[in-house]
Structure formats: structure tokens, C-alpha cells
Amino acid sequence: MRIRGVAHRGYPAKYPENTMASFKAAVHLNFTHIELDVHLSKDGVPVVMHDHTIDRMTNGQGEIRSFTLAELRKFKVNHMENIPTLEEVLLFVRNRVTVSIEMKDTKLYPNFEERVLSVIEKTNMMEQVYIISFHQQSLKRLRKLSDKIELGLLVNKLKRSHFRLVEKLHANYIAVNHKGVKEPYIKKCQAIGVQLVVWTVNTNEHMNYFQQFPSVLVTTDNLEKFMTVTNRSNVAPCLKTVHA
């Protein structure tokens, strides 16, 4: 049985976030979605890590953009894992899960959007990913580059103005902090066919709250807890906007 939910950076409650071990665990538990974060190496390779530095997660220090991929490979996460590339993760999860790709700190990296799109196309994952970002200019650039890539706004609090931007971008998703969404907006997203994603839901109280809204896609760090508390299976399909 597939579990309808977003595995946030894989399964960080048990494994180092944004690592292959973490993503493999999410796939093994049959989650329908995973979320990951991307930056660019010095030589323009999209790599998967949340922070723009390697300080917190590896045995090294410095900004990701200061190292080539070969140099990044020398650092270890949890003493054993390499920093994965976006291509490696997409090839592993292809035909297994839908991937939410968050583009981080987009102003730091030239041609960031082109590089990420190139990897998605190379891995034949265009139909199995969507890109989210806090940076609206990056989303606008992505839409100019491709009319096929699915996009999502990433916001802390959902406002009426965001729906106008969704329409302008032909976006399919809105990802919002679970504390920043009210019931009328949940219903509006459902009515217009935009998939609402909430992050990051880790308490029993909040997991149970969103159970009353089957259309909402819930992001969590604690996958097995989510499975136990919600008993949620993939009975409600992800909503996608159909544009003429």
C-alpha cells in the first residue's frame, strides 16, 4: 500500500537528511513523494543539500559553490555517505515516487534554472517532478524556459495574492508552512485544482488535523509515525491543474 505523503528530505528522523540512505528509506516505506533541496557546485552540477554550506552536514567547511563536484565528493555525511547529485537521486527514484525539488538560494548560482532543467530532462523525469522555490523570479524564469515543467509556490503564509501568481505562472502546487494556511484556502485550492502541500508536520495533533482534508498533501520528517497516526494510504489522487 502506498502512503500518500511527502518524505521531507527523505527520512531525516532516522537517516541523515538529503542522503541516498534517507531517500531509499522513503521509497522502501512506499511514500508517494519525496522532497529534496538543490544547490550548484563550482562546476555547475546540481547537488542535493539543504544548506548553502557543507558545515552542518559533512566533515568539511565552506560554501557548496566553492567546490567542484569532485572536491565535494571528498567530504562525507555521517562519516560514510557522499553528497548526492540531483541526477543520482532522480535516476534512483524514477518510476517510483514524485519528487519535489526546492531550488535554494537561487541568486547565488548563474544559470541555476537551466542546469536543474537539464538534469530533469536528461533523466526523463519531467512527468515525475515539480519545482518549488521561495524565489518568485526563479519560478518565472523556469516558466519561460519550459511550459512543461510543473511549478509550485513556496510560502510561509498563504495569501489571496498568491492565487494570482499561481495563475500567472500556470503553477500546479502551493507549498505552505502548515501554520500559515486556513481552511477557506484549503477549499479554494481544491476547487481550482491546485495541489496544496503543507510542511513540515511532525506532531500527532497536526497530523490528525490534516486528516480531515484528504486533498492536502502532508510533508513530514517522521515517516513511520505519520503512517501510524494517520493510517493514510494513496486513496486521494494528487490534484493537478489542467491548463488550456
Side-chain angles (χ1 to χ4, degrees), residues 130-145:
Y130 62 96
I131 299 177
I132 59 176
S133 182
F134 281 109
H135 305 281
Q136 296 179 7
Q137 291 303 316
S138 186
L139 294 176
K140 291 176 182 177
R141 180 169 176 79
L142 282 163
R143 179 52 72 223
K144 288 182 179 179
L145 291 168

Side-chain angles (χ1 to χ4, degrees), residues 5-7 10 23 26-27 32-36 89 93 97-101:
V6 183
F23 298 130
V27 170
T32 55
H33 295 67
I34 64 169
E35 185 269 351
L36 55 80
V89 178
V93 302
V97 297
T98 298
V99 184
S100 171
I101 301 172

Side-chain angles (χ1 to χ4, degrees), residues 10-11 22 42 101 105 116 203 208:
Y11 191 178
S22 197
K42 186 177 181 179
I101 301 172
D105 302 307
V116 171
T203 67
N208 283 320

Side-chain angles (χ1 to χ4, degrees), residues 88-202:
E88 289 170 335
V89 178
L90 293 187
L91 286 174
F92 171 71
V93 302
R94 188 170 62 192
N95 299 323
R96 293 175 172 179
V97 297
T98 298
V99 184
S100 171
I101 301 172
E102 181 182 349
M103 293 182 60
K104 308 288 290 188
D105 302 307
T106 56
K107 293 182 179 179
L108 295 178
Y109 310 111
N111 302 314
F112 196 8
E113 295 83 5
E114 289 90 342
R115 300 280 188 175
V116 171
L117 275 176
S118 177
V119 172
I120 293 169
E121 291 169 348
K122 179 181 178 181
T123 54
N124 295 314
M125 284 287 287
M126 187 66 77
E127 303 298 323
Q128 298 171 59
V129 304
Y130 62 96
I131 299 177
I132 59 176
S133 182
F134 281 109
H135 305 281
Q136 296 179 7
Q137 291 303 316
S138 186
L139 294 176
K140 291 176 182 177
R141 180 169 176 79
L142 282 163
R143 179 52 72 223
K144 288 182 179 179
L145 291 168
S146 171
D147 60 359
K148 295 181 180 179
I149 188 67
E150 294 196 341
L151 302 177
L153 299 185
L154 182 57
V155 299
N156 282 302
K157 185 177 182 180
L158 190 53
K159 301 177 182 178
R160 188 176 303 172
S161 60
H162 290 133
F163 290 98
R164 292 194 293 270
L165 185 57
V166 162
E167 184 177 1
K168 184 176 181 180
L169 288 170
H170 297 285
N172 307 84
Y173 294 81
I174 300 177
V176 60
N177 187 314
H178 74 275
K179 298 177 182 179
V181 60
K182 297 180 180 179
E183 186 172 342
Y185 287 153
I186 293 176
K187 293 180 178 179
K188 181 174 178 63
C189 285
Q190 186 172 9
I192 66 175
V194 171
Q195 179 62 63
L196 179 64
V197 184
V198 293
W199 47 273
T200 302
V201 178
N202 289 324

Side-chain angles (χ1 to χ4, degrees), residues 4 195 210-217 232 235-237:
R4 186 171 182 268
Q195 179 62 63
F210 285 106
Q211 276 286 85
Q212 63 186 307
F213 305 108
S215 65
V216 175
L217 193 54
R232 178 178 280 202
V235 294

